[in-house]
Amino acid sequence: MSLLSRYSNFVSDRGQNTKVCLIGAGQMGQGIVAQLNKMDSTDLVLIIDKNEEKLNQAKNRYKNNSEISLSTNIDALDETDLDIVIEATGTPSSGAEVAAKVLNRKIHLILLNVETEATIGLALNQEAKKNNCIVTVGDGDEPVAAVELYNFAKEISMDVIAIGKGKNNPFNEYAIPKDLEEEAHRKKMNPTMLTSFVDGSKTMIEMAALGNYLDFNLDIDGMHGPDSDYESLNSIFIPESSGGILTNTNVVDFAFGVAPGVFAIVYSEDDYVNYEMEYLKMGKGPYWTLYRPYHLTSLEIPRTIMKIMVEKESQLSATSWNIEVVAHAKTDLKAGTNLGSIGGDYIFGKAMKVQNAKGLAPLGLSENNILNHNVNRGDPIEINNLDMTENQLYKYWLMQNSFL
């Protein structure tokens, strides 16, 4: 029976539609609204965003429920009966604040905000378990798409050597929103969001979230990120002893030239499996590429809603903490500088092995905090060089550190 059929039966047996709240009515949020508008057995009952124009755009896009509530204040969550909250702001501090309100009321939380997952994912996993609810990164984000490949590989008794995503264009770690305004306008994107892709922060965040869920690690800090096409992936992301670039296996990485999409390099030592894979046109073994050439971002969120309600499982929530995304300076920074946001003028992220990131500031935690020490262009920012705002994000980060 399909997931959709099982979900329909679940809601019918329960006698009540699934009640959903959306926080963040930007580009991703509008896509979620469009999909929920066509989703049976599900009611979008509340949308929260600080921008009233975006709220009204979302309301006009959603035709299923004339009683939908709009709010510019996150406290509206406290007054609403909900099954699921979707956090789609892309801001770690917002994600943490929402999580504290939602998980402690035993409401399930979908993060279309992998920035929060990569900053405090292990703490949120523990918080959800304590309250017998679910926190998960949403379907459509590349980490979850990659997990589907991983699960498929393991379910057919393959070993996963490396797993990752494709990228279109080379990184420019020092890109700032002003440089990308024209491209952002053409793509109907927020310049800051576009900058987080161009400066590499988003890729680092996504692969850290993936690695921390699978209990994988990095081969090298910052990852290799080679140029590749589909046919070459299984000759690159394999051990050095087999002609590849990897010193270690069970790693996350990325490649330029195979975007969009995600890949997994799998292995079998069995001669008959090798014969079968070559017969099935998968190429010459013993390493093969599994590849999904798309991920549909917010448009896949209905699947996450159905899985939560029917299967009661998270798609991706940190089970380990092997990788930290560390804030680095985009320019020479002076004490007193407010670091602003991910994808902003001052900081970019680099994924690092946790043991190499000790004493360094996580990218998500650095947002909108103030430097108390000068930092040179390209250098990592030390945690002691920040005057930390003791908000909910910081509290979760301290809690997470107590587990490590």
Side-chain angles (χ1 to χ4, degrees), residues 149-257:
L149 289 182
Y150 175 87
N151 289 341
F152 175 78
K154 298 301 286 185
E155 287 161 7
I156 62 170
S157 301
M158 293 284 191
D159 295 326
V160 178
I161 304 300
I163 192 165
K165 62 170 282 184
K167 282 290 295 179
N168 279 321
N169 302 309
F171 293 151
N172 175 7
E173 290 91 345
Y174 305 113
I176 61 174
K178 184 178 179 181
D179 298 337
L180 299 170
E181 284 179 351
E182 184 177 331
E183 182 180 353
H185 178 74
R186 189 169 64 250
K187 293 180 175 179
K188 298 182 180 179
M189 291 181 69
N190 181 309
T192 299
M193 177 183 285
L194 178 59
T195 304
S196 73
F197 289 98
V198 173
D199 72 13
S201 298
K202 192 75 169 181
T203 292
M204 300 291 159
I205 287 166
E206 289 167 339
M207 293 301 94
L210 176 60
N212 287 336
Y213 172 67
L214 295 179
D215 197 17
F216 276 32
N217 211 321
L218 306 174
D219 196 43
I220 60 171
D221 289 343
M223 298 178 281
H224 290 284
D227 293 328
S228 182
D229 53 23
Y230 166 76
E231 289 77 14
S232 302
L233 287 169
N234 67 332
S235 63
I236 294 173
F237 289 110
I238 61 176
E240 289 178 343
S241 59
S242 298
I245 63 174
L246 299 181
T247 304
N248 304 286
T249 57
N250 292 352
V251 298
V252 294
D253 216 301
F254 67 97
F256 294 108

Side-chain angles (χ1 to χ4, degrees), residues 13 24 37 90 134 138 146 156 180 183 192 205 209 268 274 289 292 309 319 322 344 363 365 377 383:
D13 291 344
N37 187 56
I134 295 165
I156 62 170
L180 299 170
E183 182 180 353
T192 299
I205 287 166
S268 175
N274 292 343
T289 301
R292 176 179 166 176
M309 299 305 288
T319 60
N322 302 326
L363 180 67
L365 197 67
R377 183 179 192 259
I383 193 71

Side-chain angles (χ1 to χ4, degrees), residues 42-319:
T42 309
D43 294 330
L44 180 59
V45 298
L46 174 64
I47 306 175
I48 300 174
D49 195 290
K50 293 179 180 179
N51 187 311
E52 292 189 1
E53 181 180 356
K54 290 180 180 178
L55 281 174
N56 288 322
Q57 288 174 355
K59 182 177 182 180
N60 292 336
R61 201 177 302 279
Y62 189 71
K63 311 296 184 184
N64 275 358
N65 180 13
S66 60
E67 301 300 318
I68 189 170
S69 298
L70 307 178
S71 181
T72 59
N73 193 324
I74 196 175
D75 290 340
L77 281 171
D78 301 336
E79 306 159 6
T80 310
D81 182 28
L82 295 164
D83 294 300
I84 293 173
V85 170
I86 305 168
E87 215 290 346
T89 66
T91 303
S93 58
S94 172
E97 188 177 353
V98 170
K101 283 182 171 289
V102 167
L103 299 178
N104 286 300
R105 285 182 56 199
K106 304 184 186 303
I107 298 169
H108 306 306
L109 176 61
I110 298 173
L111 293 171
L112 200 63
N113 182 343
V114 71
E115 294 83 353
T116 298
E117 170 64 26
T119 307
I120 54 168
L122 194 59
L124 296 188
N125 180 293
Q126 296 301 309
E127 188 93 315
K129 285 182 178 178
K130 181 182 74 174
N131 289 290
N132 195 31
C133 56
I134 295 165
V135 60
T136 184
V137 174
D139 286 86
D141 253 345
E142 283 149 310
V144 174
V147 166
E148 291 186 343
L149 289 182
Y150 175 87
N151 289 341
F152 175 78
K154 298 301 286 185
E155 287 161 7
I156 62 170
S157 301
M158 293 284 191
D159 295 326
V160 178
I161 304 300
I163 192 165
K165 62 170 282 184
K167 282 290 295 179
N168 279 321
N169 302 309
F171 293 151
N172 175 7
E173 290 91 345
Y174 305 113
I176 61 174
K178 184 178 179 181
D179 298 337
L180 299 170
E181 284 179 351
E182 184 177 331
E183 182 180 353
H185 178 74
R186 189 169 64 250
K187 293 180 175 179
K188 298 182 180 179
M189 291 181 69
N190 181 309
T192 299
M193 177 183 285
L194 178 59
T195 304
S196 73
F197 289 98
V198 173
D199 72 13
S201 298
K202 192 75 169 181
T203 292
M204 300 291 159
I205 287 166
E206 289 167 339
M207 293 301 94
L210 176 60
N212 287 336
Y213 172 67
L214 295 179
D215 197 17
F216 276 32
N217 211 321
L218 306 174
D219 196 43
I220 60 171
D221 289 343
M223 298 178 281
H224 290 284
D227 293 328
S228 182
D229 53 23
Y230 166 76
E231 289 77 14
S232 302
L233 287 169
N234 67 332
S235 63
I236 294 173
F237 289 110
I238 61 176
E240 289 178 343
S241 59
S242 298
I245 63 174
L246 299 181
T247 304
N248 304 286
T249 57
N250 292 352
V251 298
V252 294
D253 216 301
F254 67 97
F256 294 108
V258 289
V262 293
F263 62 85
I265 308 304
V266 302
Y267 169 81
S268 175
E269 80 289 348
D270 189 281
D271 290 342
Y272 195 81
V273 172
N274 292 343
Y275 159 73
E276 287 273 33
M277 290 291 277
E278 290 185 31
Y279 174 78
L280 294 167
K281 311 300 183 186
M282 289 298 291
K284 186 171 177 58
Y287 301 97
W288 299 277
T289 301
L290 302 180
Y291 182 56
R292 176 179 166 176
Y294 62 90
H295 68 103
L296 305 184
T297 63
S298 58
L299 304 184
E300 295 190 40
I301 287 298
R303 298 185 72 225
T304 317
I305 292 171
M306 290 187 283
K307 289 174 187 175
I308 284 176
M309 299 305 288
V310 173
E311 298 174 352
K312 313 296 185 188
E313 292 181 353
S314 176
Q315 304 305 299
L316 188 153
S317 178
T319 60

